[in-house]
Amino acid sequence: MSNLTKYAVPEGEYGNGTTLEELHVNMSNLLVRAAHGLNLVEKRIVMACVSQLDSMRVGEREDYSQSLVKLSAKEYGDNFGIDMKNAYSELKSASERLFERYIVMMRQTPKGMKEHKFRWVSGVLYQEGAGKIELNFTREVMPYLTLLRSNYTSYSLGMASALRSVYSWRLLELFKSWETTKELFITLEDFRRTMEIPESYLYKDVRVKCIDVAVKELQEKNNLNITWTPIKKSRAVTSLRFKWKQDDQIKLNLEGGEAAKPARTRKAKQVVKIDKAFIERHARPGETYDQAKERLTNKENGGGSIQ
């Protein structure tokens, strides 16, 4: 067999004695930056199964396959904080839809970039009495999940277990795929495609319903300090720049008790720095730079909220 032993645990023993929360989701960067076609429940189930794959080993060969993965309602409920009744219900409901879910990846062809679509799974089985779901990953997706040596993204499943928005989870994955630079520059078109934002959304909707929701949740639950800036060409936002770092002020619960409550104090007025980046971020659709600057400066000096 090869040098694989220095990279991986013995064949067939990956994940033994380990909780889902401790396992890692490992995916090729190409897959991370593709559109996944999953809602939050489906995302939880698929990623919980992906985390059980030994990503250092080959996915399939003639005498070996790790494409079939099982997930119990108890494992699912324990990891994502869901009661057993809903855990059973969500596994059963997802089992009826997952076969139809597919990935959309942009690929270079002689005629330019084209969409390549392929399914996550080739088969799904829900065991009613046992409360288990079985997923059989497709041969097309397995190379993006196994035998990974470079250009891949890794994060513990526990990092995403508390997230309640699929946009938050997808943004977390994008951040992890650019972990070395902790900076992401992406066109708005690519961001829409990867995050699967409805085509009907205007930029304001993208900001409010997708970016603001995801950034707020990742800051609160993953202790990330995130800043982002919309990049405009003429008057239209064409790209986005995200920067992030781990927040050192991690919120810890008191040992054996509730989280400490801060004393109530009078809130000092927050001083806002009205610079170019701030103005571009808070500019309203259709506003010129000078109009946005005047409005924001007046609000800071004379009161009122900045939208």
Side-chain angles (χ1 to χ4, degrees):
M1 260 211 7
S2 66
N3 333 342
L4 279 177
T5 49
K6 70 181 180 182
Y7 295 113
V9 298
E11 190 168 277
E13 295 184 18
Y14 181 79
N16 287 356
T18 308
T19 63
L20 279 180
E21 186 178 23
E22 297 171 303
L23 293 176
H24 276 66
V25 175
N26 300 301
M27 293 186 286
S28 158
N29 286 340
L30 287 174
L31 180 57
V32 169
R33 297 163 191 173
H36 289 182
L38 304 170
N39 65 28
L40 182 61
V41 169
E42 294 160 355
K43 179 75 173 170
R44 287 170 171 168
I45 293 170
V46 171
M47 292 303 111
C49 289
V50 167
S51 73
Q52 297 179 58
L53 298 174
D54 187 346
S55 62
M56 301 301 289
R57 290 189 180 278
V58 68
E60 285 190 78
R61 63 172 190 267
E62 187 175 345
D63 61 338
Y64 171 77
S65 173
Q66 55 171 328
S67 60
L68 181 64
V69 185
K70 300 178 182 180
L71 177 69
S72 71
K74 186 177 188 314
E75 290 171 321
Y76 176 74
D78 287 348
N79 188 72
F80 296 107
I82 299 166
D83 63 79
M84 286 302 294
K85 181 179 179 181
N86 284 321
Y88 278 101
S89 174
E90 289 182 6
L91 288 190
K92 182 177 181 179
S93 177
S95 71
E96 298 167 357
R97 302 186 304 266
L98 277 171
F99 183 71
E100 304 299 330
R101 299 303 189 233
Y102 57 86
I103 297 153
V104 180
M105 185 179 291
M106 301 304 295
R107 290 182 56 176
Q108 185 66 49
T109 73
K111 294 186 178 181
M113 297 297 287
K114 300 292 182 182
E115 287 187 352
H116 176 216
K117 299 179 182 180
F118 51 100
R119 295 180 191 271
W120 280 100
V121 297
S122 58
V124 185
L125 173 65
Y126 178 70
Q127 300 179 30
E128 186 85 42
K132 288 184 179 180
I133 192 171
E134 293 183 6
L135 302 187
N136 202 327
F137 287 107
T138 64
R139 289 189 175 187
E140 285 181 293
V141 78
M142 284 298 280
Y144 298 102
L145 302 174
T146 55
L147 206 61
L148 301 176
R149 291 291 182 271
S150 61
N151 299 316
Y152 68 91
T153 295
S154 180
Y155 63 92
S156 69
L157 190 63
M159 289 185 67
S161 60
L163 300 177
R164 295 295 179 264
S165 166
V166 74
Y167 290 141
S168 304
W169 198 325
R170 293 296 286 125
L171 189 60
L172 174 65
E173 289 179 336
L174 283 178
F175 284 178
K176 296 301 288 184
S177 75
W178 294 98
E179 183 71 12
T180 53
T181 61
K182 288 186 168 51
E183 181 172 350
L184 167 64
F185 181 86
I186 187 170
T187 67
L188 185 58
E189 180 183 1
D190 286 345
F191 186 77
R192 282 178 174 273
R193 183 187 303 113
T194 301
M195 301 290 280
E196 296 172 282
I197 297 170
E199 291 183 8
S200 61
Y201 278 18
L202 302 175
Y203 169 70
K204 180 181 178 182
D205 300 317
V206 175
R207 177 172 62 84
V208 173
K209 298 179 182 180
C210 174
I211 301 175
D212 287 350
V213 169
V215 166
K216 184 174 186 291
E217 187 167 33
L218 291 178
Q219 289 184 148
E220 291 177 352
K221 296 179 179 177
N222 291 77
N223 302 303
L224 293 179
N225 187 336
I226 304 167
T227 58
W228 68 278
T229 308
I231 310 299
K232 289 187 176 183
K233 187 174 182 180
S234 298
R235 294 184 177 182
V237 174
T238 57
S239 303
L240 304 168
R241 178 179 284 112
F242 293 87
K243 294 183 179 181
W244 62 93
K245 62 181 179 179
Q246 197 70 35
D247 193 339
D248 293 332
Q249 297 180 345
I250 300 176
K251 300 173 183 176
L252 298 174
N253 285 353
L254 293 175
E255 188 174 350
E258 296 181 346
K261 295 180 180 178
R264 292 187 179 181
T265 57
R266 179 168 292 184
K267 212 171 183 180
K269 183 179 177 182
Q270 185 179 7
V271 178
V272 178
K273 183 181 178 182
I274 309 294
D275 56 12
K276 183 178 180 182
F278 182 89
I279 293 168
E280 289 178 345
R281 180 173 176 178
H282 291 278
R284 293 172 176 168
E287 268 189 331
T288 66
Y289 178 87
D290 290 336
Q291 289 171 338
K293 180 178 180 181
E294 182 180 1
R295 175 176 60 81
L296 294 170
T297 303
N298 289 341
K299 283 197 173 184
E300 176 60 17
N301 293 334
S305 61
I306 295 174
Q307 301 296 330

